[in-house]
Amino acid sequence: MTWWRREVIYQIYPWSFQDSNGDGIGDLAGITARLDHLRALGIGGIWLSPIYPSPMHDFGYDVSEHCAIDPRFGTLEDFDRLLQESHRRGIRVLMDLVLNHTSDQHPWFLEARVSRDSAKRDWYYWADPVGRGWRRRPPNNWQAVFGGSAWAWDAATEQYYLHSFLKEQPDLNWRNPEVQSAMEQVARFWLDREVDGFRLDAINWIGKDVQWPSNPSAAGRDRFRMRSYLRQLHQHDRDQPETHEALRALRKIIDQYPETVLVGEASADTPGGPAAFYGDGTDELHLVFNFRLLKARWGAESFRQVIDEWERAVPSPGWPTQVLSNHDQSRHATRHSRGVSERQRDRRARMAALLLLTLRGTPFLYYGEEIGMCDGRLRYRDLRDPYTKRYWPFSPGRDPARTPMQWDATPQAGFTTGRPWLPVSADPDRINVAAQCDDPDSLLTLYRRLIHLRRTSPALLDGEYEDLLPEHPTCLVYRRALPAAVPVDAWIIAANLSPRPQFVELKLITPTCRVHVSTDPLAPLDRPHDGAVLLQPEEALLFRVPPE
Ligand code: GLC
Ligand code: CA
């Protein structure tokens, strides 16, 4: 089984993981210094959010040079060292590849904007204005994800350029073969340095309708959404068929490097769903994030629905992913627990861990998830991300999910000796690595245990997912098992997502099944079960089912 099916992958947001020189910004040497934490956790791969030189308008997703390291994070030597030290510990390293756009400070764009005849002009999208003078407007109504028109006026050459995100992130023209081959070279540069693959940023954006038709507006309640981007249906500004061609071409290159992997980020509402980017399961991406689980409300029915959909959507022989948190969304410990007690929040975080690590597919963890980090409670003046600022305080934004990793209970949480770029979250003292490291009942210990179990159990890794009680309103009960002919243990997961105790009746839970894990550290493992079991409020059990 290839490593990226077997292993759990951990996302590091380099700004926030570990600062090694006191400037308050995380860096590569810091990550290297913390690799043993990751090894003890049992993960097998890290994905680094961008570390390339960047003006940092979008904290690295605005790349101004592709084959170098931003000095804030260190040097190429620091990178090679990180790679080497990771590999030495059996940890693979994925880079973030931002294909849709560059920084407006990238030499390509600087050259493109010099004149309309620039050799690089066509590397980006340009359009003439409609109307003149004060009546001048962009060719259509497209909106940037981060707000406002997706078109920015270039006074020198009197045309608009397209930017799907910030105006400092002009979109690359993927119809231009030169762009494709330039990006291929970037990929090769890092693959030749022995990185193990890429997370592809915003891939469903790379194709657009260049006749520039306007998008229709959204219907119903969505018409009144605060973010202008959400008030439209994205029929023309993304998700066009040529995306698949570009991905097939990239896959051919990656396939020349054994054991490397492509994992794509695509919007949850992309037509046909994110699974479309698996192609036929062999010719586009190896893995695609499923943000529908991340966006699902806490509850058995909503979880079941997205899990089932995803099970059906991923084409075989494709392989699913599971993800609950990342650098763009409210952390799940916070998101699943708005308005509930701290105790309940902890219980839900433990259940979420068990679900994430026992569902079928490669789990992705977001740094700090393993200790139950919550969104930081920030003030407006703490904010750094332009998007978070723009919609503050109506939308939680992204900065709260990017606060420094909490290593210990000292004031800067062991992250820095200086002033951190974002304040350390005021979480309770126990939400840090030092406090949880040797505590058998901690969330960190639960993650370690479950990751170990997943890596070593053929049924958890490769078994089918079978929903055992599809009608149950408050409990999610499923089995992970290999075909009956294979004599290995199977697992039954019984999760009570409600705040009340629940009886689960199920013949398969025979007395020979053993409760292997409960997410409730105080609950007895040897409780009676014979065709039924009593689950505590917000408790999940993992049963080991011996082979017949
Ligand atoms: C992706 C990234 C996000 C970034 C955007 C533009 O969605 O995850 O952080 O701002 O793309 O690159
Ligand atoms: Ca630093």
Side-chain angles (χ1 to χ4, degrees):
M1 180 180 245
T2 36
W3 71 269
W4 46 266
R5 293 185 177 218
R6 189 179 60 239
E7 304 288 359
V8 175
I9 301 179
Y10 186 97
Q11 179 190 358
I12 292 183
Y13 196 67
W15 276 81
S16 303
F17 198 59
Q18 178 67 56
D19 175 22
S20 72
N21 61 354
D23 67 357
I25 300 173
D27 45 50
L28 298 182
I31 299 172
T32 307
R34 292 296 191 181
L35 284 174
D36 286 332
H37 166 68
L38 301 180
R39 188 169 57 178
L41 183 58
I43 59 102
I46 52 181
W47 143 36
L48 301 170
S49 278
I51 51 177
Y52 318 104
S54 165
M56 301 291 177
H57 290 287
D58 192 13
F59 292 84
Y61 285 94
D62 46 335
V63 179
S64 57
E65 194 183 345
H66 285 106
C67 301
I69 303 292
D70 190 280
R72 293 174 186 84
F73 300 132
T75 62
L76 263 180
E77 289 69 54
D78 293 328
F79 177 76
D80 287 339
R81 203 166 148 255
L82 169 58
L83 199 59
Q84 211 182 3
E85 289 296 315
S86 304
H87 286 167
R88 208 161 63 77
R89 291 169 175 81
I91 297 174
R92 323 274 175 140
V93 179
L94 307 187
M95 300 284 277
D96 211 312
L97 200 56
V98 187
L99 299 179
N100 180 67
H101 45 266
T102 65
S103 157
D104 63 350
Q105 299 306 307
H106 196 292
W108 300 343
F109 189 69
L110 295 178
E111 191 182 333
R113 77 187 307 176
V114 168
S115 83
R116 292 193 186 196
D117 329 303
S118 153
K120 293 250 170 15
R121 187 70 170 180
D122 190 45
W123 284 40
Y124 296 85
Y125 293 113
W126 300 89
D128 289 329
V130 178
R132 299 189 145 268
W134 61 272
R135 291 207 151 124
R136 185 189 73 213
R137 36 187 183 84
N140 64 28
N141 68 356
W142 293 2
Q143 297 293 300
V145 177
F146 297 149
S149 170
W151 296 95
W153 180 243
D154 182 56
T157 58
E158 300 202 308
Q159 280 191 312
Y160 288 98
Y161 65 84
L162 180 68
H163 61 90
S164 298
F165 295 87
L166 294 172
K167 73 174 186 337
E168 292 84 2
Q169 295 168 296
D171 282 27
L172 282 164
N173 174 6
W174 272 81
R175 295 179 179 245
N176 184 333
E178 289 174 11
V179 167
Q180 301 204 11
S181 81
M183 277 304 190
E184 281 172 26
Q185 279 165 34
V186 170
R188 284 190 193 278
F189 173 86
W190 294 104
L191 291 166
D192 290 337
R193 268 197 131 75
E194 294 187 353
V195 308
D196 302 285
F198 300 102
R199 176 262 189 189
L200 303 182
D201 186 64
I203 41 144
N204 60 311
W205 264 270
I206 68 178
K208 18 235 159 202
D209 188 336
V210 296
Q211 303 300 314
W212 311 135
S214 279
N215 281 324
S217 43
R221 255 173 23 142
D222 283 354
R223 271 192 306 156
F224 304 107
R225 298 279 275 262
M226 187 175 46
R227 288 176 53 198
S228 60
Y229 187 77
L230 302 177
R231 294 199 293 263
Q232 294 186 350
L233 297 178
H234 296 284
Q235 239 166 51
H236 304 295
D237 53 350
R238 47 176 234 214
D239 299 307
Q240 302 300 304
E242 72 264 21
T243 311
H244 297 284
E245 268 160 60
L247 294 180
R248 282 193 288 270
L250 194 59
R251 174 66 178 258
K252 290 216 172 84
I253 294 166
I254 284 278
D255 280 345
Q256 297 165 13
Y257 297 80
E259 297 267 286
T260 55
V261 63
L262 290 176
V263 45
E265 181 209 27
S267 319
D269 60 348
T270 188
F277 299 101
Y278 284 99
D280 68 5
T282 63
D283 62 346
E284 293 189 35
L285 304 184
H286 303 88
L287 299 172
V288 183
F289 292 126
N290 174 24
F291 290 154
R292 293 181 183 185
L293 182 60
L294 185 154
K295 302 216 160 166
R297 240 172 1 96
W298 179 264
E301 281 170 338
S302 63
F303 279 16
R304 174 181 301 125
Q305 191 188 338
V306 288
I307 294 166
D308 286 353
E309 272 175 20
W310 190 229
E311 276 288 323
R312 279 196 301 270
V314 178
S316 71
W319 184 253
T321 60
Q322 307 294 346
V323 56
L324 293 174
S325 285
N326 67 29
H327 65 295
D328 293 328
Q329 309 288 339
S330 175
R331 286 178 177 273
H332 70 78
T334 300
R335 202 180 59 236
H336 286 156
S337 305
R338 296 200 200 284
V340 307
S341 69
E342 214 171 88
R343 182 166 169 275
Q344 238 179 315
R345 181 187 72 199
D346 289 354
R347 293 179 74 84
R348 290 186 181 186
R350 295 175 73 91
M351 289 181 74
L354 190 126
L355 297 177
L356 184 75
L357 293 163
T358 58
L359 285 170
R360 194 171 76 90
T362 298
F364 281 76
L365 302 187
Y366 181 50
Y367 82 93
E369 178 173 339
E370 73 275 30
I371 51 172
M373 267 176 71
C374 301
D375 288 354
R377 278 184 290 273
L378 302 176
R379 295 157 303 184
Y380 183 79
R381 69 179 135 106
D382 297 326
L383 303 181
R384 303 287 303 267
D385 171 33
Y387 165 75
T388 308
K389 284 187 195 169
R390 183 165 185 143
Y391 295 109
W392 191 263
F394 302 103
S395 141
R398 310 190 292 180
D399 281 330
R402 298 174 175 179
T403 58
M405 176 68 180
Q406 289 153 213
W407 297 103
D408 58 39
T410 60
Q412 303 308 353
F415 165 70
T416 181
T417 53
R419 211 180 96 120
W421 75 285
L422 273 181
V424 171
S425 172
D427 286 340
D429 278 359
R430 64 197 155 71
I431 305 191
N432 64 70
V433 175
Q436 296 188 22
C437 212
D438 301 318
D439 174 357
D441 294 336
S442 70
L443 182 63
L444 178 58
T445 303
L446 181 67
Y447 268 96
R448 284 180 180 161
R449 229 180 125 198
L450 291 169
I451 292 173
H452 177 75
L453 207 60
R454 182 182 179 280
R455 294 185 81 223
T456 50
S457 153
L460 279 182
L461 276 178
D462 216 10
E464 294 292 301
Y465 164 88
E466 189 191 346
D467 188 354
L468 296 174
L469 290 178
E471 305 296 328
H472 205 293
T474 55
C475 295
L476 205 56
V477 184
Y478 55 91
R479 173 163 63 174
R480 297 294 315 284
L482 288 167
V486 187
V488 298
D489 290 345
W491 303 87
I492 292 174
I493 292 86
N496 171 13
L497 283 88
S498 82
R500 277 165 291 282
Q502 299 283 343
F503 249 114
V504 166
E505 277 182 77
L506 186 70
K507 285 213 186 63
L508 288 169
I509 304 181
T510 60
T512 56
C513 297
R514 204 161 55 75
V515 181
H516 197 75
V517 175
S518 161
T519 55
D520 180 344
L522 302 176
L525 292 186
D526 57 353
R527 76 190 74 178
H529 53 273
D530 187 359
V533 65
L534 180 67
L535 297 172
Q536 295 304 311
E538 288 167 336
E539 178 194 30
L541 296 180
L542 177 64
F543 289 94
R544 188 192 273 270
V545 186
E548 286 175 10

